[in-house]
Amino acid sequence: IITPGADVTFTATPTNGGTNPTYVWKKNDTVIPNETGATYTTNTLVDGDKIKVEMTSNDTCVTTTTAT
């Protein structure tokens, strides 16, 4: 349960993210502008909101394909 107006912080913990992974945070499948760090804090969540993060690794793969 989240108190309306309370800050909520989400933190991405990368596995095999490389030295400088990039992040795209989404609220209800819509990209949240200017949120590209490993953490996202908001106080505007309402019942039913869904938060997601997509991390893209900058780690080097053993093959020529990049890891995402």
Side-chain angles (χ1 to χ4, degrees):
I1 297 173
I2 299 170
T3 304
D7 282 348
V8 179
T9 300
F10 297 89
T11 303
T13 305
T15 300
N16 300 323
T19 56
N20 193 25
T22 58
Y23 301 89
V24 175
W25 290 91
K26 296 181 178 184
K27 180 177 176 183
N28 302 321
D29 292 319
T30 301
V31 172
I32 303 168
N34 304 315
E35 292 296 338
T36 57
T39 61
Y40 167 62
T41 302
T42 183
N43 62 5
T44 62
L45 294 177
V46 296
D47 192 30
D49 280 347
K50 294 178 185 178
I51 301 296
K52 266 193 235 192
V53 65
E54 294 176 2
M55 179 204 75
T56 301
S57 171
N58 75 330
D59 205 0
T60 304
C61 295
V62 290
T63 64
T64 57
T65 309
T66 344
T68 301

